[in-house]
Amino acid sequence: MTIIRKILTISSVLAVLGFAQGSPEPPPDDWDTTTDSTATANQPQTAAVQDSTVKAADTSAAVVADSTKPADTAKVAAAPADSAKADTTAADSAAPKKPRNKITYADYQKRVIKAAKKRSRTLHHGLSLVSANYHDKNYWHTNHDADWGMGMGMYYFYRRYIGNYLGFQGRLGALYRYSRWSFDVGEEDGQLSSGEEYTLVHSLDRKYYNFSADMPLTGKVGYHVKGTTTFLFASLTFGLTKPIYEMTDTENWLDIKTNDKKLKADLDLIDKAGQSPFPLYESHQTNKFFYMDDWETSGWIGLGIESRLVSFEVQMFAFGGASQNANHRYYHIGHDSNPTWRMFLDFSIK
């Protein structure tokens, strides 16, 4: 059967080739040669145009068909993504949304307290001012207490808390002190040759101006007010003072007093005439720098209130001592009705 099929195929090919090579039949006698030639000329062109139009249409259809396939494929691929997005949106809308930047009042209070505690435990430093009432006793060899005394100073301070109940503070600065004495040194009785009695009175007025370096160190026990940086405390301070320079101004007065009427009248006449020698007056000043081994020590107890920015403390003099040349000693608590005291005002810059 295979051989027969091959023979039939070859015969068909030969028949087609022979048909293609045969001469065409002559046209009929009444054929219009002009028209036929025109038609013959136009026929292949028309066929070619139709053929190209058909091919172009087929090609366009194929391109359109091919271009629609990826779009359909993309739609099919996008379908799962769209469904997943729809599921996520539905889940988000179903879950409760947490408000942003909104906290309860209780949370706010906790944050404030935490921040306050954190700030209160940090190291603070700044400027400290002091004003003092000094009450000297037995200055040098006067054996008399000062009538009035004061002091003022400026310090750099640092402060730190340990937990909620303990703290310490150190200061380093310059201190100025002033005191004044006015008293009668002595009296001497006398009598004139005419029998009138009188008394010579020696009075002294002394002032000193002292410039020192001061280094007090304070320990504190107290309580932080909840939710704030306020600290209420009691304190114990140990001070070390290095006197640097001191100027002393001394004035001596010698005056005459009498109870005799005749002598009083005579003294008044002499005074009005501008010839009275009384009171006799003498003054002198002493200036000195202290030695390196001249120091003063002091102890103070106090009460105060402080915050992160401003602090106030009052201290009372409790005990103290001095080297021989420094020689500044003050009345302490319980020793006199007018003990030495001072107050501090601190301004924190951190």
Side-chain angles (χ1 to χ4, degrees):
M1 292 297 293
T2 303
I3 296 173
I4 294 172
R5 287 178 181 175
K6 291 182 179 181
I7 294 172
L8 291 176
T9 301
I10 294 172
S11 299
S12 300
V13 172
L14 292 176
V16 171
L17 292 175
F19 177 77
Q21 295 177 358
S23 59
E25 296 182 359
D29 296 336
D30 57 352
W31 190 279
D32 189 353
T33 306
T34 304
T35 305
D36 183 53
S37 62
T38 303
T40 305
N42 294 335
Q43 184 176 1
Q45 184 176 0
T46 303
V49 171
Q50 292 176 353
D51 188 21
S52 62
T53 302
V54 172
K55 290 181 179 180
D58 295 340
T59 305
S60 300
V63 171
V64 172
D66 294 339
S67 62
T68 56
K69 290 180 181 180
D72 295 340
T73 305
K75 289 181 180 180
V76 174
D82 293 339
S83 61
K85 184 177 181 180
D87 295 340
T88 305
T89 303
D92 293 341
S93 61
K97 294 184 178 180
K98 185 178 181 180
R100 297 181 179 180
N101 300 326
K102 292 183 179 181
I103 60 175
T104 63
Y105 181 75
D107 293 337
Y108 173 75
Q109 287 293 97
K110 290 180 180 179
R111 292 185 182 182
V112 171
I113 294 172
K114 183 177 180 181
K117 288 183 177 180
K118 183 178 180 180
R119 288 193 300 268
S120 65
R121 292 194 183 100
T122 58
L123 177 66
H124 301 284
H125 62 92
L127 178 67
S128 182
L129 303 177
V130 64
S131 177
N133 176 28
Y134 286 102
H135 190 184
D136 281 86
K137 62 176 182 179
N138 298 334
Y139 179 71
W140 286 97
H141 306 292
T142 58
N143 293 323
H144 286 79
D145 298 336
D147 296 316
W148 186 79
M150 57 83 65
M152 60 181 64
M154 181 180 296
Y155 302 79
Y156 167 79
F157 80 86
Y158 58 93
R159 178 173 67 231
R160 191 175 185 86
Y161 297 103
I162 304 172
N164 291 326
Y165 307 103
L166 299 177
F168 68 88
Q169 180 166 339
R171 294 181 175 95
L172 176 62
L175 178 64
Y176 166 74
R177 293 177 290 183
Y178 168 85
S179 284
R180 179 175 181 174
W181 288 258
S182 293
F183 58 91
D184 294 335
V185 177
E187 298 181 355
E188 183 178 349
D189 297 329
Q191 186 176 8
L192 298 177
S193 59
S194 56
E196 293 89 354
E197 295 181 352
Y198 64 90
T199 302
L200 292 176
V201 180
H202 178 199
S203 300
L204 182 141
D205 187 81
R206 173 171 288 169
K207 300 179 287 289
Y208 80 76
Y209 312 87
N210 182 278
F211 301 88
S212 304
D214 195 27
M215 295 159 283
L217 181 62
T218 303
K220 303 176 182 181
V221 178
Y223 174 73
H224 277 284
V225 179
K226 187 175 182 181
T228 68
T229 59
T230 303
F231 185 61
L232 305 175
F233 65 91
S235 65
L236 178 62
T237 301
F238 176 77
L240 188 62
T241 304
K242 177 66 183 74
I244 299 174
Y245 174 79
E246 184 171 282
M247 181 179 68
T248 304
D249 186 5
T250 303
E251 298 177 350
N252 289 286
W253 303 82
L254 185 63
D255 202 358
I256 186 171
K257 294 180 180 180
T258 182
N259 294 323
D260 189 277
K261 294 181 179 180
K262 185 177 181 300
L263 183 57
K264 279 186 178 181
D266 293 340
L267 292 174
D268 289 340
L269 290 175
I270 297 173
D271 187 48
K272 289 178 180 179
Q275 297 179 357
S276 176
F278 298 101
L280 297 176
Y281 172 78
E282 181 274 335
S283 67
H284 65 273
Q285 291 182 344
T286 58
N287 304 283
K288 67 174 182 178
F289 286 92
F290 290 90
Y291 297 104
M292 290 300 298
D293 58 351
D294 293 331
W295 293 87
E296 299 176 28
T297 58
S298 59
W300 308 74
I301 59 174
L303 295 173
I305 177 173
E306 59 192 23
S307 65
R308 192 174 65 88
L309 298 177
V310 181
S311 304
F312 177 77
E313 182 182 5
V314 176
Q315 296 181 349
M316 305 294 291
F317 184 71
F319 58 89
S323 64
Q324 182 177 359
N325 290 325
N327 204 37
H328 284 282
R329 294 175 175 85
Y330 306 102
Y331 278 99
H332 54 74
I333 298 175
H335 192 192
D336 187 77
S337 59
N338 184 24
T340 297
W341 58 271
R342 63 184 180 182
M343 58 183 180
F344 284 98
L345 187 61
D346 299 338
F347 300 95
S348 176
I349 59 176
K350 179 184 177 183

